[in-house]
Amino acid sequence: MTVKARRKLIKQQKKLMQERKAWEQMQTNFSYDEDFYKFCELKINLLNEEAEKMRYVLEMGCCE
């Protein structure tokens, strides 16, 4: 993995984690709406999976 590719992936990962934080905040703010709460939970789980894939690639030092 090149340095440029690694930096790009780290930048994408940070952006993803910011999005995750926003969904967590919305989940807290609208916890009274059960359907929206579940939707937020689904989005958070999907973002977690994507972040985990990025962490794996960064740790292994190679592309998928």
Side-chain angles (χ1 to χ4, degrees):
M1 172 178 274
T2 65
V3 173
K4 186 176 180 179
R6 184 172 179 79
R7 285 182 184 155
K8 183 179 178 182
L9 191 58
I10 290 170
K11 185 177 179 180
Q12 288 175 333
Q13 187 180 33
K14 286 181 183 180
K15 185 177 178 182
L16 189 128
M17 295 312 291
Q18 288 174 342
E19 182 180 352
R20 182 186 184 280
K21 190 173 183 178
W23 281 104
E24 286 178 336
Q25 187 63 44
M26 284 190 283
Q27 187 179 37
T28 300
N29 292 345
F30 299 99
S31 60
Y32 58 87
D33 185 341
E34 190 175 329
D35 290 331
F36 188 70
Y37 185 90
K38 288 179 182 179
F39 177 75
C40 289
E41 189 171 22
L42 175 67
K43 286 293 285 183
I44 291 167
N45 289 338
L46 290 172
L47 291 169
N48 282 339
E49 288 177 20
E50 193 172 337
E52 187 61 34
K53 289 177 187 176
M54 289 179 182
R55 277 190 288 274
Y56 176 77
V57 171
L58 288 168
E59 289 176 5
M60 296 305 290
C62 61
C63 297
E64 294 183 309

